[in-house]
Amino acid sequence: MTYLEFKESMREFPVFSVREIEKHFPNFDNRRLVEWQEKGYIQKLRNRYYRFTDYKVDEAYLFYCANVIYGPSYVSLESALSVYGFIPEGVFQITSCTTVKTNTFETPIGNFAYRNLKSGLFFGYHLQQWDGHHYAIAGPEKTIIDYLYLHSELESPADFESLRWNAAEISARISMEKLDTYISHIGSNALQNRINHLKDFLNANA
């Protein structure tokens, strides 16, 4: 099998796993993967996951990769906060939430970090279209909730001041009704307290 034949058969997968290769080519010789890496045709992202090197590495592609190489997962936390303009700076890694164990991966195209959430909190995301594919990313309200859920050290409105969050952008983009509905569904008093502190912070910076 030539590389061109392989790529033609696998072109629908911007990121592909050994399992997907074996579905298309039951007798595939894994030594080809080493050979094609050496030639720069493909890159290994993590164990058993690879990418074609001619795909442009931009934010959407990285978010797609984040979903594929470890899941189930969706982009959230600092990465989503940055997308929505809730924090002033970009982030140095792609951050996601997952129902499997917390993990990180350093890859040739960037670092990917995953934080565990219990299955009952795995909601509030949507599918964003990208190049004929899609990736899952938390909505603005769930992004806020995910962050607060995982940061129990936020105990007062002053703690939010130290985060340098963009209060005006948060107030403009999130639905307080949806936020309250999510909190009611989760049923956590500790999380409710953090949301109250967030609201105080937003009101003070309106």
Side-chain angles (χ1 to χ4, degrees), residues 15-105:
V15 177
F16 52 91
S17 67
V18 171
R19 178 180 296 180
E20 286 159 346
I21 294 173
E22 292 171 345
K23 288 179 182 178
H24 285 72
F25 308 102
N27 299 314
F28 184 77
D29 185 348
N30 286 341
R31 289 177 296 181
R32 297 286 79 77
L33 296 176
V34 176
E35 173 189 334
W36 294 336
Q37 285 181 81
E38 291 174 347
K39 291 183 177 181
Y41 299 156
I42 63 174
Q43 283 180 321
K44 185 176 183 179
L45 296 180
R46 57 161 296 209
N47 189 33
R48 299 177 66 83
Y49 284 87
Y50 299 82
R51 67 175 292 266
F52 293 114
T53 54
D54 57 358
Y55 263 93
K56 178 184 177 181
V57 178
D58 55 16
E59 182 180 77
Y61 181 73
L62 290 170
F63 288 175
Y64 174 84
C65 291
N67 281 191
V68 173
I69 68 172
Y70 198 68
S73 66
Y74 60 85
V75 175
S76 188
L77 306 171
E78 289 85 358
S79 289
L81 288 171
S82 179
V83 166
Y84 297 128
F86 294 169
I87 56 178
E89 66 278 339
V91 294
F92 69 93
Q93 63 183 358
I94 308 303
T95 54
S96 301
C97 290
T98 180
T99 54
V100 291
K101 71 177 183 178
T102 294
N103 216 330
T104 59
F105 302 99

Side-chain angles (χ1 to χ4, degrees), residues 64-200:
Y64 174 84
C65 291
N67 281 191
V68 173
I69 68 172
Y70 198 68
S73 66
Y74 60 85
V75 175
S76 188
L77 306 171
E78 289 85 358
S79 289
L81 288 171
S82 179
V83 166
Y84 297 128
F86 294 169
I87 56 178
E89 66 278 339
V91 294
F92 69 93
Q93 63 183 358
I94 308 303
T95 54
S96 301
C97 290
T98 180
T99 54
V100 291
K101 71 177 183 178
T102 294
N103 216 330
T104 59
F105 302 99
E106 295 182 4
T107 80
I109 61 172
N111 298 335
F112 299 84
Y114 301 82
R115 295 289 301 273
N116 170 262
L117 293 179
K118 60 185 181 181
S119 58
L121 291 173
F122 200 78
F123 69 91
Y125 58 89
H126 62 272
L127 299 181
Q128 184 71 39
Q129 294 298 315
W130 164 76
D131 196 27
H133 304 276
H134 63 261
Y135 58 84
I137 182 170
E141 295 81 11
K142 190 54 165 42
T143 296
I144 294 288
I145 288 174
D146 288 344
Y147 190 92
L148 300 190
Y149 179 81
L150 293 169
H151 288 80
S152 58
E153 73 277 8
L154 298 171
E155 298 179 337
S156 72
D159 291 330
F160 287 92
E161 294 284 355
S162 67
L163 293 176
R164 298 192 302 120
W165 281 7
N166 188 329
E169 192 68 20
I170 294 172
S171 296
R173 294 203 61 163
I174 67 171
S175 163
M176 285 299 175
E177 182 179 357
K178 181 180 287 188
L179 194 70
D180 290 340
T181 298
Y182 284 172
I183 293 299
S184 177
H185 170 74
I186 294 169
S188 166
N189 290 333
L191 184 56
Q192 178 67 69
N193 287 336
R194 283 174 226 145
I195 289 294
N196 292 340
H197 295 322
L198 170 66
K199 291 179 178 179
D200 290 341

